[in-house]
Amino acid sequence: MHLLCMTVLIGFLAGLVARWITPGRGFSGFLLTMMVGIAGALTASFFGQLLRWYEPGQSAGFVGSVIGAILLLAGHHLVVRGR
């Protein structure tokens, strides 16, 4: 339960920082911000393990989570802008 609470907290904070850094309108609300932050952490962990920056089973830290969330938000803005 402790790991879940920490994941949600770090995901929300990473989502907030990513929304603050990434320009444009997009996701809003507590739940969507948290989901973008958690998805960013998972994305950063996946690519970090793929590039051998992290060991298998090791997750990305806060900075990696923010970078992953920024990449997801930037991709979202590019897709939405193209419509």
Side-chain angles (χ1 to χ4, degrees):
M1 185 69 171
H2 175 67
L3 181 63
L4 178 65
C5 292
M6 289 303 296
T7 301
V8 168
L9 178 66
I10 290 174
F12 178 68
L13 292 175
L16 278 178
V17 171
R19 279 185 49 202
W20 180 66
I21 291 174
T22 307
R25 299 180 57 134
F27 298 109
S28 63
F30 174 78
L31 187 59
L32 289 174
T33 300
M34 181 178 58
M35 288 171 43
V36 166
I38 293 171
L42 292 174
T43 302
S45 295
F46 174 74
F47 284 114
Q49 290 174 11
L50 189 68
L51 296 172
R52 306 223 189 273
W53 292 343
Y54 304 119
E55 295 294 322
Q58 185 180 6
S59 64
F62 180 73
V63 174
S65 300
V66 170
I67 291 170
I70 288 171
L71 290 174
L72 289 175
L73 283 175
H76 170 75
H77 291 314
L78 287 174
V79 169
V80 171
R81 185 178 298 158
R83 290 184 186 177

